[in-house]
Amino acid sequence: MNSILQSLFAMVDLITDIMCQKPVWSSVPEAKLIRSFIAIRDAHPSSDTRNKMSLLHSFRKAASNQGLSFSDQNQEDAHEFLTSVLDQMRSLSSLLQVNAANMNRRYICPVKRHLVFEIEKTRTCNKSQSWSTNVSVEETHLARAWHSRPCQK
């Protein structure tokens, strides 16, 4: 988890976009994951280890609210953790857009802006040469985006 957090905190444009939209997400109860994430970043220069551990625990708990468990005892895959956190932040987009509109502001999802990519793929079966498809996939998870389908005759 620490390496994922450090990597995300190093993404200056992502953090800047999140912070610029603080008035939108700071008062939304469902945005606890974002608030916990930023609280860890803000506590970085502090020497208060107990507070940092508490913030990490709160963040882990917020990240686990979507059914996945990220506890101290389990060794989850870093990629699974990253994907879960990004997907959860991104899933708040509609709610935060409504909240922003109520404040006469505009919300642009920082995850979508900086970390989501779109893949368009065309597949043709080598056996029949007759089947092809165009698929546009918006993803934060490369393995899911490249999931291949079997050839159909």
Side-chain angles (χ1 to χ4, degrees):
M1 178 174 71
N2 289 339
S3 62
I4 295 299
L5 288 170
Q6 290 171 7
S7 298
L8 290 172
F9 293 145
M11 300 180 75
V12 176
D13 291 340
L14 174 72
I15 298 301
T16 300
D17 276 5
I18 292 172
M19 291 306 297
C20 286
Q21 300 184 88
K22 185 175 182 177
V24 175
W25 53 259
S26 63
S27 63
V28 175
E30 294 87 349
K32 183 175 182 172
L33 182 70
I34 297 173
R35 287 192 306 279
S36 299
F37 175 71
I38 294 301
I40 293 169
R41 186 200 66 118
D42 291 347
H44 180 71
S46 170
S47 60
D48 186 349
T49 306
R50 180 175 269 169
N51 182 48
K52 287 182 176 183
M53 292 302 291
S54 175
L55 291 171
L56 284 171
H57 176 73
S58 293
F59 179 73
R60 191 180 303 112
K61 186 176 177 184
S64 296
N65 281 344
Q66 298 293 319
L68 295 174
S69 176
F70 299 109
S71 67
D72 289 327
Q73 292 78 25
N74 297 334
Q75 292 293 320
E76 275 73 14
D77 177 63
H79 184 258
E80 180 183 355
F81 179 74
L82 173 63
T83 302
S84 175
V85 168
L86 295 177
D87 287 347
Q88 288 180 59
M89 287 183 177
R90 190 171 156 208
S91 73
L92 295 167
S93 207
S94 296
L95 177 65
L96 296 176
Q97 286 171 345
V98 169
N99 195 47
N102 291 336
M103 303 169 75
N104 292 322
R105 296 181 68 117
R106 192 169 155 218
Y107 179 80
I108 299 170
C109 178
V111 172
K112 184 172 182 177
R113 183 169 182 213
H114 297 286
L115 298 169
V116 171
F117 53 91
E118 189 172 299
I119 294 176
E120 187 171 300
K121 58 185 176 180
T122 302
R123 306 204 77 178
T124 304
C125 180
N126 288 333
K127 291 181 182 178
S128 68
Q129 295 294 317
S130 61
W131 181 72
S132 65
T133 185
N134 291 323
V135 179
S136 182
V137 180
E138 196 174 85
E139 253 327 321
T140 58
H141 186 279
L142 190 55
R144 282 195 310 229
W146 286 103
H147 178 66
S148 59
R149 294 192 286 180
C151 175
Q152 298 176 357
K153 293 182 181 180

